[in-house]
Amino acid sequence: MVQKDDNLKDIISHSKEYGFVFPSSEIYDGLAATYDYGQLGVELKNNIKEYWWKAMVHMHENIVGVDSAIFMHPTTWKASGHVDAFNDPLIDNKDSKKRYRADVLLEEFVEKIRQKIQKEVEKGKKRFGDDFDEEQFLATNPNVLRNQKKIEETEERMRAALESSDLEAIYNLIVDLEIVCPVSGSKNWTEVRQFNLMFSTELGSVAGDAATIYLRPETAQGIFVNFLNVQKTGRMKIPFGIAQIGKAFRNEIVARQFIFRMREFEQMEMQFFVRPGDEMKWYDYWKEQRINWHKALGLGEDRYRFHDHMKLAHYANAACDIEYDFPMGFKELEGIHSRTDFDLKQHEEHSGKKLQYFDPELNESYVPYVVETSIGLDRMFLAVLSSSYKMEDLGDGKQRALLSIPPALAPYKVAIMPLTKKDGLPEKAREIMDAMKLDLNCIYDEKGAAGRRYRIQDAMGTPYCVMVDHQTLEDNTVTIRDRDTMEQERVNVDDLHQIIGDKVAMHKLLTS
Ligand code: GAP
């Protein structure tokens, strides 16, 4: 069986080899945790954005989009709480000199115990076969019960320490649990300190005249400060939402695991403004909508789970993550947060401007409550790549690298290939491509043996290959080869556009 870490390494090298993701400024040996998207990567990224935008904005009459500036007035971040509270607790190991997020060390400790319980369950299943009663096993097995107790006790102490930002208590917990540095194996830790994650820079060119401004750590604040602009000019009625896709920046203490945790990344966020008191109804609604959006892609239903937040962010009264089974295990892919009226009220206070909505049905004005959905585009990209990438055995010791990306998201929808470079086949192939490229992203390939060309397209994730051969010139038919099944069907050129267009359409995802 392929180990998960090896799988991540394979995905990283495949991404580079085929132009999905490159280390940033690689000719200068790269910049830690910063990546560039290549020729196929940018197409996949754009398609994910389109899927999200269509599902959130175009499919909802009461949601509209914005594209706000990355730089915002510095008071924005004072009001939002980021200047004072957007911190991570960090701890250094004195022997390895490695720096860690203290809360992540603790979470990983708990996850390891969970995996121990899962192993016990697997052992039980093997031993008792069909007679195995998982529920009873979990409720009675002494090893499971001991580990479960340890999880509960640890989580309880974690919650108390994190919620009160008690750095000493976090340190004591790490020491009591005898957590070791994964690199040096030692327990020689520094104290826990707070570290603000915002990048700052200066606006203005005159010395002494400059103001400190921040690179936004989330796109959401660009939505909040435009709440009234959009509500009034768009004549929006509550409940309504504002969506945005854009870059965000965080000076992460530990930025690693490829594009999972970067210092510059992209978010797709939506703030849904509701009547105070209605927020839990809409929180449940968006949890369901978002998990359905993910599942429609067919990456595997059992690869998702909800995880309720133990430590609520300074603005939330309920929050959960949609976690995805990445090559590194289950990790946060998307957050759904009930943010109360915190942000709008804070902006009212700091700006001195009213940010209220007059509700004609209630005949009163109020500051709306907000339910937010926030997904990392780069993490979504990694989820798609990691579930799609496989090395498939073809028999006779042969293998193929396959990216079974959902067709609607695939960088190229179709590869057009003449069987040979002569006899008028390239001209016919080009004619077919010219007719299709207006709607579908096509790639032309006439180089090398057909089998080899198919393999390259499989590795790029192109769902369909169209082969133009000598029969095409006689009866105007071509073969369509399916990436996943490798089966071929012969169809008339006049129907080709429609057939492939249907197979790769986003409609199916949006209506499923
Ligand atoms: N506006 C709410 C907010 O920003 P968050 O949970 O901090 O919430 C939302 O971030 C999403 O952004 C996460 O679920 C994750 O997918 C993505 N994200 C956060 N930090 C990231 C990073 N350093 N690199 C890549 N994606 C990140």
Side-chain angles (χ1 to χ4, degrees):
M1 204 176 120
V2 184
Q3 290 301 309
K4 286 199 148 205
D5 283 350
D6 291 343
N7 190 241
L8 182 62
K9 277 189 204 141
D10 292 345
I11 290 164
I12 295 171
S13 68
H14 189 88
S15 295
K16 189 168 173 217
E17 187 179 346
Y18 287 92
F20 281 90
V21 181
F22 304 123
S24 170
S25 36
E26 197 186 5
I27 56 168
Y28 296 106
D29 297 331
L31 179 69
T34 317
Y35 291 91
D36 297 338
Y37 287 84
Q39 67 279 11
L40 294 190
V42 68
E43 297 288 345
L44 173 56
K45 214 175 172 199
N46 283 342
N47 293 339
I48 296 173
K49 284 190 210 176
E50 187 187 344
Y51 176 41
W52 185 85
W53 193 264
K54 283 203 155 129
M56 300 299 279
V57 181
H58 295 181
M59 300 293 284
H60 289 94
E61 276 178 41
N62 57 349
I63 300 184
V64 291
V66 292
D67 182 12
S68 69
I70 287 173
F71 291 148
M72 299 182 71
H73 192 285
T75 312
T76 308
W77 305 111
K78 188 76 193 148
S80 68
H82 284 83
V83 170
D84 298 319
F86 195 51
N87 301 318
D88 274 345
L90 67 85
I91 189 166
D92 293 281
N93 183 268
K94 291 182 194 162
D95 298 319
S96 67
K97 310 271 182 268
K98 292 273 173 205
R99 179 163 288 179
Y100 299 94
R101 264 177 63 179
D103 56 329
V104 171
L105 279 182
L106 291 167
E107 270 165 18
E108 284 175 355
F109 177 85
V110 168
E111 185 57 32
K112 270 192 200 136
I113 311 180
R114 278 217 178 87
Q115 282 167 9
K116 273 191 197 161
I117 296 178
Q118 197 48 40
K119 267 195 195 140
E120 294 280 354
V121 171
E122 298 304 327
K123 265 203 294 191
K125 272 187 191 159
K126 253 195 204 145
R127 209 164 129 211
F128 298 111
D130 287 346
D131 294 335
F132 183 68
D133 181 341
E134 187 168 333
E135 215 170 295
Q136 198 195 351
F137 182 81
L138 288 173
T140 54
N141 181 281
N143 287 343
V144 170
L145 291 177
R146 203 185 50 250
N147 281 324
Q148 196 52 47
K149 189 158 173 255
K150 197 162 188 182
I151 291 179
E152 279 158 23
E153 283 170 0
T154 307
E155 287 192 334
E156 188 46 47
R157 282 182 69 185
M158 257 173 85
R159 181 177 308 143
L162 291 171
E163 268 172 13
S164 57
S165 295
D166 184 343
L167 302 182
E168 203 181 326
I170 300 174
Y171 172 82
N172 288 339
L173 188 53
I174 288 174
V175 171
D176 291 351
L177 295 172
E178 301 191 356
I179 293 178
V180 296
C181 165
V183 176
S184 67
S186 91
K187 293 178 233 162
N188 196 7
W189 297 109
T190 62
E191 61 189 9
V192 178
R193 281 168 295 145
Q194 292 286 27
F195 178 79
N196 192 285
L197 298 183
M198 281 198 295
F199 282 102
S200 63
T201 185
E202 291 189 344
L203 192 69
S205 53
V206 185
D209 198 21
T212 299
I213 56 162
Y214 299 98
L215 297 186
R216 66 181 177 198
E218 62 171 11
T219 58
Q221 297 304 324
I223 292 178
F224 286 122
V225 298
N226 279 298
F227 158 71
L228 264 195
N229 282 340
V230 174
Q231 190 273 318
K232 287 201 181 322
T233 57
R235 290 174 296 139
M236 308 302 290
K237 282 206 172 79
I238 273 185
F240 74 91
I242 306 179
Q244 166 155 238
I245 300 177
K247 290 260 182 175
F249 304 83
R250 296 182 189 178
N251 198 359
E252 298 282 1
I253 299 167
V254 191
R256 57 182 171 163
Q257 292 167 328
F258 192 36
I259 53 175
F260 181 81
R261 192 178 302 285
M262 296 191 287
R263 297 196 172 101
E264 173 182 343
F265 58 99
E266 238 171 308
Q267 290 186 316
M268 305 192 286
E269 298 201 292
M270 193 276 301
Q271 314 299 131
F272 201 67
F273 299 91
V274 305
R275 267 186 199 160
D278 279 358
E279 70 273 15
M280 289 318 290
K281 181 180 89 186
W282 287 109
Y283 176 69
D284 291 338
Y285 171 86
W286 281 109
K287 272 175 77 173
E288 195 188 337
Q289 287 282 310
R290 295 305 304 147
I291 196 77
N292 289 345
W293 181 88
H294 286 284
K295 289 189 174 169
L297 285 172
L299 305 184
E301 300 243 331
D302 52 350
R303 297 185 83 136
Y304 302 91
R305 71 181 187 198
F306 280 108
H307 169 76
D308 289 323
H309 281 204
M310 282 213 307
K311 184 193 173 200
L312 291 177
H314 56 272
Y315 47 74
N317 70 354
C320 68
D321 298 331
I322 295 177
E323 292 188 336
Y324 184 77
D325 191 7
F326 286 101
M328 316 76 80
F330 273 97
K331 301 258 178 209
E332 176 185 346
L333 167 61
E334 169 158 9
I336 298 157
H337 312 126
S338 172
R339 285 179 84 129
T340 66
D341 55 1
F342 174 85
D343 301 85
L344 289 180
K345 275 212 164 130
Q346 284 291 105
H347 287 305
E348 273 197 330
E349 202 174 291
H350 284 77
S351 67
K353 311 262 162 46
K354 266 200 171 351
L355 293 175
Q356 301 198 352
Y357 170 78
F358 176 75
D359 192 324
E361 282 171 34
L362 299 180
N363 199 26
E364 66 178 63
S365 294
Y366 52 78
V367 177
Y369 270 46
V370 171
V371 175
E372 161 187 79
T373 72
S374 173
I375 174 170
L377 176 54
D378 312 85
R379 288 194 189 173
M380 188 60 203
F381 185 103
L382 183 58
V384 172
L385 261 199
S386 57
S387 68
S388 305
Y389 173 77
K390 22 196 125 36
M391 285 303 291
E392 201 176 76
D393 270 326
L394 298 173
D396 296 338
K398 287 192 196 131
Q399 280 194 319
R400 67 165 177 160
L402 174 65
L403 272 187
S404 53
I405 300 174
L409 301 186
Y412 288 111
K413 305 302 180 211
V414 55
I416 314 282
M417 307 173 171
L419 184 62
T420 67
K421 281 198 232 173
K422 45 185 196 216
D423 304 332
L425 298 185
E427 289 76 7
K428 182 68 185 168
R430 290 251 177 233
E431 187 188 309
I432 291 172
M433 175 148 158
D434 284 346
M436 286 215 282
K437 71 182 182 193
L438 286 169
D439 291 326
L440 303 172
N441 195 18
C442 308
I443 180 166
Y444 179 82
D445 189 5
E446 60 177 23
K447 242 171 97 189
R452 202 181 117 64
R453 282 185 269 164
Y454 285 149
R455 290 287 164 275
I456 293 172
Q457 295 305 323
D458 292 343
M460 290 165 55
T462 310
Y464 301 101
C465 292
V466 166
M467 186 61 79
V468 176
D469 55 19
H470 291 93
Q471 192 179 329
T472 311
L473 303 181
E474 285 161 22
D475 63 4
N476 203 36
T477 62
V478 287
T479 59
I480 305 178
R481 177 208 181 249
D482 182 295
R483 172 195 69 198
D484 300 336
T485 63
M486 294 189 282
E487 277 168 12
Q488 302 191 16
E489 61 171 324
R490 210 159 181 105
V491 304
N492 196 292
V493 170
D494 296 338
D495 302 327
L496 189 61
H497 197 144
Q498 176 85 44
I499 292 172
I500 296 198
D502 283 350
K503 286 178 192 278
V504 303
M506 219 167 252
H507 302 175
K508 272 183 253 157
L509 297 181
L510 293 166
T511 49
S512 65

